[in-house]
Amino acid sequence: MASYIAAIDQGTTSTRCIVFDHAGQVVAVDQVEHRQILPRAGWVEHDPMEIWTNTRQVCAGALAKADLVLSDIAAVGITNQRETTVVWDRHTGEPVYNAIVWQDTRTDGIVSELARGEGGQNRYQSRTGLPLATYFSGPKIRWILDNVDGARDRAERGELMFGTMDTWVLWNCTGGTDGGLHVTDPTNASRTMLMDLRTLSWDPDICAEFGVPMSMLPEIRSSSEVYGHFRSRGVLGGLPISGILGDQQAATFGQACLTPGEAKNTYGTGNFLLLNTGTEPVLSENGLVTTVGYKIDDKPTVYCLEGSIAVTGSLVQWLRDNIGLIGSAPEIEQLASEVEDNGGAYFVPAFSGLFAPHWRSDARGVIAGLTRFVNRGHLARAVLEATAFQTREVAEAMNVDSGVDLKALKVDGGMVNNELLMQFQADILGVSVIRPKVNETTALGAAYAAGLAVGFWSGEKDIRANWAEDKVWEPKMSEQLREQQYHEWQKAVTKTFGWVEE
């Protein structure tokens, strides 16, 4: 009897394979980072072939670390960085261009062109739940077809395939050019701007307006079902692949936010706050996106409101790699702890423009409020506080859209081990912040989706039973100070607007 479920977590900076037991506990992890390719300002790319090599490596590594054999694993789930776009040749399996990453802003001109139509930036919101923005996959596909020699002609002839990273990994895992499955799930499809939220099918009119041939698009199937099996070559040969969830929806599922009104916030490369709104999509009037939360087999689709923040954990990486103020990411907490507050400095990291709730692709990062009093500790603290301030902006928009005030926030992701940040998050929100015992909620959500499809877990009650609280931070800041600092943050945000001119 197989005792474990594996999840492939293809993220923005690395690829991991994590093995879980029935209690949702981590048994083994293997992880390999991939290159961040930055050809010019605002452009971010990954090498899809490098990621496919790393995927094979981490699957073998996770099994080896736990001394497991194939028969120990019941099924495999996939979770992935969303919106990142790959276009490849269906006959050779070769990408026609590097993967264009979700953070990339090169499609600003395409987005502006499309926004000149009726409805402006919200032209497609009623059908897709999304504002026109460089964030999503549709404009990235268009850019590749318009800018890679011969790509549009090849796409029109049916020679090219598109996928987000789940589709790229699944296609290769199931055989690639030798019968690989060209499939995605609704959570990832809902991030392309090409899928109708209610029918969960590609919208032919939007595809035509974007100039994307529908022959490129993968089949949309549920988030939890047996899609196929691993190719015979490789360490996981023959195992069923039975779950796909975009990373933030996977974290929502892994955090057991299965009832309308339950929310989680993931602190990773960016931050993503998702609120379960039930089986009817709620369209935002305050800068959030409406997205598919999950669809389990043939059960009704569950939707979420989402606040997407582009730069949080990657700001700490920037401070380490580009500026050299710290030698490793964990050092920032110690440095920030050397001062009592931010010294009046605010850092708005609009490196890729501003995502929710502003959606300003013309914004660029600023540090505001500098005086000679500010030192390296204050800057470190301002970097951490930027994550908490951006989260409050999104939480306030979510409160208005949903009509439900946030009472507590479940958190996960790499930054939740930073206790100074978590305390400040509770302070600036004015609500409890709760960290679960199992922090690998993204991979766990994909594992749950895969395990439900093969009967490893029996249903939502198992997922709820596995969730357990690790630590809670309660707000300690006075309301006067909270509102003063938030007001100053909002002033700093306005200084980023309009930096990029057409």
Side-chain angles (χ1 to χ4, degrees):
M1 179 68 181
S3 302
Y4 306 103
I5 295 284
I8 297 169
D9 180 357
Q10 201 302 291
T12 305
T13 59
S14 70
T15 303
R16 303 186 299 169
C17 182
I18 304 184
V19 178
F20 296 93
D21 63 17
H22 195 271
Q25 300 296 310
V26 174
V27 174
V29 182
D30 199 47
Q31 179 172 2
V32 177
E33 291 190 0
H34 54 263
R35 291 174 299 142
Q36 304 297 308
I37 303 167
L38 310 170
R40 63 177 75 171
W43 291 29
V44 188
E45 300 174 2
H46 294 156
D47 178 352
M49 299 305 291
E50 179 187 6
I51 288 173
W52 169 227
T53 298
N54 292 351
T55 300
R56 302 198 301 274
Q57 181 178 333
V58 297
C59 289
L63 264 63
K65 286 183 176 180
D67 197 20
L68 300 177
V69 296
L70 193 63
S71 59
D72 291 321
I73 308 296
V76 181
I78 297 173
T79 183
N80 57 290
Q81 52 168 323
R82 307 167 303 171
E83 301 93 20
T84 295
T85 298
V86 189
V87 174
W88 69 97
D89 188 296
R90 68 172 68 244
H91 302 297
T92 68
E94 291 291 326
V96 303
Y97 191 79
N98 278 335
I100 300 180
V101 179
W102 57 273
Q103 302 155 311
D104 192 285
T105 60
R106 77 185 69 188
T107 57
D108 191 36
I110 295 170
V111 168
S112 296
E113 174 195 323
L114 290 165
R116 293 189 189 108
E118 185 178 351
Q121 191 175 25
N122 293 322
R123 177 177 176 178
Y124 302 111
Q125 185 189 27
S126 63
R127 284 178 281 173
T128 68
L130 311 176
L132 270 164
T134 60
Y135 182 25
F136 304 110
S137 306
K140 301 181 198 302
I141 306 172
R142 161 86 173 271
W143 188 93
I144 291 173
L145 297 184
D146 286 350
N147 289 276
V148 175
D149 285 347
R152 179 162 296 283
D153 288 342
R154 293 166 68 190
E156 296 287 357
R157 293 196 299 266
E159 297 173 8
L160 300 186
M161 308 170 87
F162 151 75
T164 42
M165 296 309 295
D166 59 306
T167 300
W168 170 248
V169 169
L170 178 70
W171 185 78
N172 281 289
C173 284
T174 54
T177 57
D178 185 19
L181 295 172
H182 192 211
V183 167
T184 191
D185 89 304
T187 67
N188 282 292
S190 71
R191 314 299 295 195
T192 62
M193 293 204 80
L194 304 177
M195 188 194 82
D196 186 297
L197 266 183
R198 293 166 181 80
T199 65
L200 307 188
S201 58
W202 303 117
D203 187 304
D205 294 332
I206 297 178
C207 289
E209 290 170 20
F210 272 72
V212 175
M214 294 185 69
S215 61
M216 299 178 67
L217 305 178
E219 178 187 1
I220 302 172
R221 292 168 63 175
S222 81
S223 307
S224 178
E225 61 177 273
V226 176
Y227 313 106
H229 296 78
F230 275 87
R231 62 189 191 145
S232 58
R233 294 177 61 86
V235 69
L236 300 181
L239 284 180
I241 304 175
S242 51
I244 299 174
L245 286 165
D247 54 9
Q248 302 313 318
Q249 289 94 333
T252 307
F253 204 61
Q255 282 271 40
C257 295
L258 307 174
T259 301
E262 294 183 322
K264 70 87 201 175
N265 197 27
T266 296
Y267 296 72
T269 302
N271 263 37
F272 302 89
L273 177 57
L274 272 75
L275 172 74
N276 184 324
T277 61
T279 55
E280 288 295 325
V282 176
L283 296 180
S284 175
E285 297 180 359
N286 295 280
L288 304 179
V289 304
T290 307
T291 194
V292 174
Y294 55 89
K295 179 172 174 58
I296 303 303
D297 199 12
D298 59 355
K299 294 175 181 170
T301 305
V302 173
Y303 296 91
C304 289
L305 277 172
E306 176 177 333
S308 311
I309 303 167
V311 179
T312 55
S314 56
L315 180 56
V316 178
Q317 292 177 324
W318 176 87
L319 199 69
R320 179 194 67 193
D321 299 339
N322 292 43
I323 305 303
L325 193 62
I326 53 176
S328 65
E331 289 178 24
I332 193 171
E333 185 171 9
Q334 176 59 42
L335 183 56
S337 298
E338 294 175 2
V339 294
E340 293 184 0
D341 55 33
N342 62 21
Y346 293 84
F347 197 140
V348 186
F351 295 161
S352 303
L354 289 170
F355 284 13
H358 305 285
W359 298 107
R360 295 289 297 255
S361 60
D362 64 341
R364 286 299 179 268
V366 303
I367 305 175
L370 288 180
T371 63
R372 288 195 64 183
F373 173 71
V374 173
N375 62 31
R376 54 203 299 271
H378 295 119
L379 288 179
R381 196 169 185 110
V383 163
L384 292 179
E385 290 181 356
T387 292
F389 284 124
Q390 290 180 100
T391 297
R392 173 164 170 179
E393 287 185 312
V394 167
E396 289 193 340
M398 199 162 278
N399 288 346
V400 175
D401 275 336
S402 67
V404 178
D405 287 341
L406 189 68
K407 302 298 184 187
L409 185 65
K410 290 182 178 180
V411 299
D412 55 68
M415 295 182 81
V416 302
N417 295 313
N418 188 312
E419 303 215 352
L420 186 150
L421 170 60
M422 291 298 99
Q423 182 59 57
F424 187 78
Q425 185 68 87
D427 286 340
I428 210 66
L429 282 175
V431 302
S432 303
V433 170
I434 306 168
R435 182 174 70 193
K437 284 187 175 179
V438 177
N439 188 34
E440 298 291 357
T441 54
T442 299
L444 181 57
Y448 281 149
L452 288 171
V454 298
F456 186 82
W457 287 289
S458 61
E460 291 184 359
K461 67 180 186 300
D462 285 348
I463 297 173
R464 290 189 183 281
N466 281 350
W467 190 90
E469 178 185 292
D470 175 48
K471 184 166 182 176
V472 179
W473 288 267
E474 300 290 351
K476 298 178 181 178
M477 184 180 287
S478 71
E479 183 174 356
Q480 180 181 358
L481 182 57
R482 175 186 305 131
E483 296 311 313
Q484 175 191 334
Q485 292 197 5
Y486 186 57
H487 171 68
E488 291 173 353
W489 161 264
Q490 290 177 305
K491 282 200 300 182
V493 170
T494 65
K495 309 304 180 187
T496 71
F497 296 163
W499 187 263
V500 177
E501 298 178 354
E502 287 190 22

